Amino acid sequence: MADESFFEGIELAEAVEAIRTGLTGAATAGEGQELGFDVGEITMEFGIEMRKDVHGSGRVRAWVVEAGADASPRLLPRTHKVTFTLTPKDMRTGGS
């Protein structure tokens, strides 16, 4: 079960960027190893809260309030569950 305070203040874009950074770091660490892994589709699920910046740009942003498959029963009425699938692509080679 996820600790709600851990996710406080994390924007959805930051959560996705953390996955990208982790995968890139793992790929770099695995270079030259005898055993490697193909990265397939990545399914992510978050409980998010939509907030509009009323004091600045007026931009709407999504903030993570829960993460993981067990998040849905704990969502507050003003939160939304979002699930999406990412297919990693090496932008240097165009391959997966």
Side-chain angles (χ1 to χ4, degrees):
M1 187 176 328
D3 176 12
E4 289 180 39
S5 63
F6 176 79
F7 295 104
E8 191 171 316
I10 297 177
E11 193 173 356
L12 183 59
E14 291 174 299
V16 173
E17 178 61 26
I19 298 300
R20 179 185 298 114
T21 300
L23 287 173
T24 303
T28 300
E31 288 179 6
Q33 298 294 318
E34 291 183 26
L35 178 64
F37 303 96
D38 287 331
V39 178
E41 292 185 343
I42 301 166
T43 302
M44 302 177 75
E45 181 176 296
F46 297 99
I48 63 168
E49 182 175 286
M50 302 300 289
R51 298 182 195 163
K52 185 172 184 174
D53 181 6
V54 294
H55 298 294
S57 66
R59 180 178 157 210
V60 175
R61 294 167 36 172
W63 296 90
V64 175
V65 293
E66 287 276 352
D70 63 346
S72 56
R74 299 169 50 96
L75 294 179
L76 301 172
R78 65 177 185 252
T79 62
H80 309 278
K81 180 174 132 182
V82 63
T83 303
F84 52 90
T85 301
L86 303 174
T87 303
K89 181 177 179 180
D90 187 330
M91 300 308 284
R92 296 168 292 160
T93 65
S96 58

